[in-house]
Amino acid sequence: MERGNKKAIVLGATGLVGRLLTQKLLEDERYSEVRIFVRNPFGRTHSRLTETRADLLALKEFKTAFKGDVVFCCVGTTKAKTPDENDYRAIDYGIPVEASRLCKENGILALIIVSALGANPESQIFYNRIKGEMEAEVLRSGVPFIQLLQPSLIGGSRQETRKGERIAQGMMRFLEPVLIGPIKKYRMIDPEDIADAMIFLADHPQNEPRIPSDQIFQLAGSYRLNMEDKAHKK
């Protein structure tokens, strides 16, 4: 793989998708620096990893360190983990929106965000409405290249126990064979697919800013084919 001088910023690097994404970026020699903003230690050192301890709810205080070529935002919470609606809004709306403002102010051209399937500012469901309002505000920021990934239920094991998610994952696995055609996007998606698609999008922008779950899966496949091709050419 060719060496490069791209600099990435990752928000939410200690989460399920964010950790996978950060590890993959550190293995990608096109990136000379991967800067993560975290409240708790990432737990890994690397010559190209820069760890900035920060409260993401006060991200604007770290404007001088918020510099790079592309920002990957994997921040998100759940109703079970954050039952207070104001706190939920501060995280799922506030952090990505503030990131978009910092991108604009610091001249960062690309912002790639994990949103959610069902995001809609007109939704009667609070959590879908917040995601939709976030997307709309981010798109108004003026950042030249924005991609909003809308995954379905994300599979994988988390550090914290989420009984409701385990039940939902079991149901989705049972229903997967009938989720075809237009409803294929509702299939459960692996966190690695999301991470791979995000890296692919950094180099292959799509015409539409919103990327539904089934397209995320396709883009992840394209990323892996790309990596295999580069490996064969070494």
Side-chain angles (χ1 to χ4, degrees), residues 83-98:
D84 184 274
E85 291 186 351
N86 291 326
D87 291 343
Y88 184 96
R89 183 181 179 87
I91 296 168
D92 275 47
Y93 174 91
I95 295 173
V97 167
E98 186 59 41

Side-chain angles (χ1 to χ4, degrees), residues 145-165:
F145 168 47
I146 295 171
Q147 302 276 230
L148 301 159
L149 283 77
Q150 299 181 329
S152 181
L153 179 67
I154 302 173
S157 300
R158 294 169 173 81
Q159 291 181 344
E160 70 269 22
T161 300
R162 295 181 179 180
K163 183 179 179 181
E165 282 194 2

Side-chain angles (χ1 to χ4, degrees), residues 33-193:
E33 180 184 8
V34 180
R35 180 182 291 272
I36 60 175
F37 290 80
V38 291
R39 177 178 290 178
N40 300 311
F42 183 68
R44 178 184 176 184
T45 58
H46 192 283
S47 60
R48 290 185 283 116
L49 178 66
T50 303
E51 186 171 312
T52 299
R53 295 293 182 86
D55 179 357
L56 295 186
L57 295 175
L59 194 58
K60 62 184 177 181
E61 296 178 9
F62 301 87
K63 179 180 176 179
T64 56
F66 201 89
K67 293 179 180 177
D69 299 296
V70 55
V71 174
F72 298 96
C73 183
C74 309
V75 172
T77 186
T78 64
K79 180 180 179 181
K81 190 174 181 180
T82 312
D84 184 274
E85 291 186 351
N86 291 326
D87 291 343
Y88 184 96
R89 183 181 179 87
I91 296 168
D92 275 47
Y93 174 91
I95 295 173
V97 167
E98 186 59 41
S100 71
R101 291 171 181 161
L102 290 175
C103 284
K104 181 63 176 177
E105 292 172 11
N106 286 353
I108 299 172
L109 301 181
L111 173 60
I112 302 173
I113 298 174
V114 178
S115 180
L117 194 65
N120 183 346
E122 304 299 326
S123 176
Q124 296 301 307
I125 301 172
F126 172 78
Y127 303 97
N128 289 348
R129 186 169 70 251
I130 290 300
K131 289 290 191 184
E133 290 175 356
M134 176 274 290
E135 290 187 355
E137 188 63 27
V138 165
L139 289 171
R140 284 193 287 265
S141 68
V143 177
F145 168 47
I146 295 171
Q147 302 276 230
L148 301 159
L149 283 77
Q150 299 181 329
S152 181
L153 179 67
I154 302 173
S157 300
R158 294 169 173 81
Q159 291 181 344
E160 70 269 22
T161 300
R162 295 181 179 180
K163 183 179 179 181
E165 282 194 2
R166 288 202 307 272
I167 294 171
Q169 287 176 8
M171 291 178 61
M172 292 297 285
R173 290 191 186 96
F174 177 76
L175 292 171
E176 186 166 302
V178 301
L179 296 176
I180 57 177
I183 60 173
K184 188 177 180 180
K185 64 183 179 181
Y186 294 103
R187 288 183 177 182
M188 187 167 60
I189 189 165
D190 192 273
E192 187 168 5
D193 289 328

